[in-house]
Amino acid sequence: MKYLAIVGTNSNVSTNRMLLQFMKEHFKQEAQIELCEIKDLPAFYEAKDDQVPQQVEAVSEQIRQADGVIIATPEYDHAITAALKSALEWISYTSQALTDKPVLIVGASHGALGSSRAQAHLRQILDSPELAARIMPSSEFLLGKSQAAFDATGRLIDEDKLTELDEIFREFMLFTQLITKLLSEKTTTKKAKKYVWQTQEA
């Protein structure tokens, strides 16, 4: 199984990046996890004449090649970061590469509640018709007080949280297999949608 793990922030120092780096190492016998940074993507704008930035096309291709996507989101003011929202806008406006793609949401924050509100916000966005991702239901991995959650080697310290992460990841692998099987049995090929802003002149 091959997963793309998106670091949902443009910050150079992030416990969400640390969480994905830990997952990449911890689950290396079960799946291949490739980290994807969004910090170098330009802020979203309506590209003229289909001139999509090369960095955006590269991320879209990484998503297409993956069996599923893991997104780690911090929480800023009860929401996802502007950088992550911008990256998702690029995907929805151009490739729509997340359509029908299995997605697992995880998150770390400095507060005690983890990134619960940001995760709920991200679910709403991914469920929009322009993205239409297959979000794993009834799953939340909330890593609170994340500045003290890892040891010096980057290992997750809390054994209960580690057990929880193991269970969620196993469920996500099964979810990915089920979605892949479901889509393979579709009798019709779904074409990319055209939206109002793609068909109207400015």
Side-chain angles (χ1 to χ4, degrees):
M1 204 70 73
K2 180 180 178 182
Y3 292 117
L4 185 70
I6 297 176
V7 182
T9 178
N10 57 5
S11 174
N12 290 324
V13 179
S14 170
T15 52
N16 282 277
R17 184 180 293 106
M18 292 177 68
L19 174 59
L20 293 180
Q21 288 170 338
F22 171 74
M23 291 177 67
K24 177 180 179 178
E25 176 66 22
H26 184 66
F27 296 118
K28 65 182 179 182
Q29 300 301 324
E30 300 169 64
Q32 178 185 343
I33 299 176
E34 177 186 3
L35 262 65
C36 173
E37 297 282 356
I38 61 171
K39 59 185 179 179
D40 293 327
L41 295 183
F44 174 73
Y45 60 89
E46 293 189 13
K48 296 185 181 298
D49 300 322
D50 295 327
Q51 294 179 353
V52 181
Q54 184 177 359
Q55 305 100 307
V56 174
E57 293 216 4
V59 171
S60 292
E61 185 58 26
Q62 286 180 294
I63 293 172
R64 290 192 197 96
Q65 294 299 320
D67 296 307
V69 174
I70 304 166
I71 303 178
T73 178
E75 183 171 311
Y76 291 4
D77 299 322
H78 294 184
I80 65 172
T81 66
L84 180 55
K85 183 63 167 63
S86 178
L88 294 173
E89 286 169 352
W90 273 120
I91 299 302
S92 68
Y93 185 75
T94 58
S95 66
Q96 297 163 11
L98 280 167
T99 297
D100 285 334
K101 189 69 66 174
V103 174
L104 172 65
I105 301 172
V106 299
S109 74
H110 298 173
L113 297 179
S115 59
S116 58
R117 295 182 180 91
Q119 290 196 31
H121 184 216
L122 182 54
R123 282 180 179 275
Q124 287 183 311
I125 295 168
L126 291 172
D127 197 40
S128 67
E130 295 87 352
L131 289 168
R134 301 277 182 154
I135 313 158
M136 191 169 90
S138 304
S139 63
E140 283 186 321
F141 184 75
L142 307 171
L143 186 61
K145 300 182 179 179
S146 58
Q147 288 176 307
F150 301 93
D151 64 17
T153 67
R155 186 181 185 279
L156 194 59
I157 296 171
D158 190 321
E159 291 298 328
D160 289 338
K161 277 294 177 184
L162 182 56
T163 299
E164 181 184 340
L165 184 61
D166 286 342
E167 291 175 354
I168 287 175
F169 190 75
R170 281 195 297 268
E171 290 174 2
F172 184 53
M173 291 186 68
L174 177 59
F175 178 74
T176 304
Q177 292 168 5
L178 292 173
I179 292 298
T180 302
K181 185 174 186 297
L182 174 67
L183 294 175
S184 70
E185 293 175 354
K186 276 190 173 182
T187 56
T188 57
T189 302
K190 190 174 183 181
K191 295 182 179 180
K193 304 171 190 174
K194 287 287 185 180
Y195 295 96
V196 174
W197 58 83
Q198 295 172 305
T199 57
Q200 289 181 341
E201 293 185 0

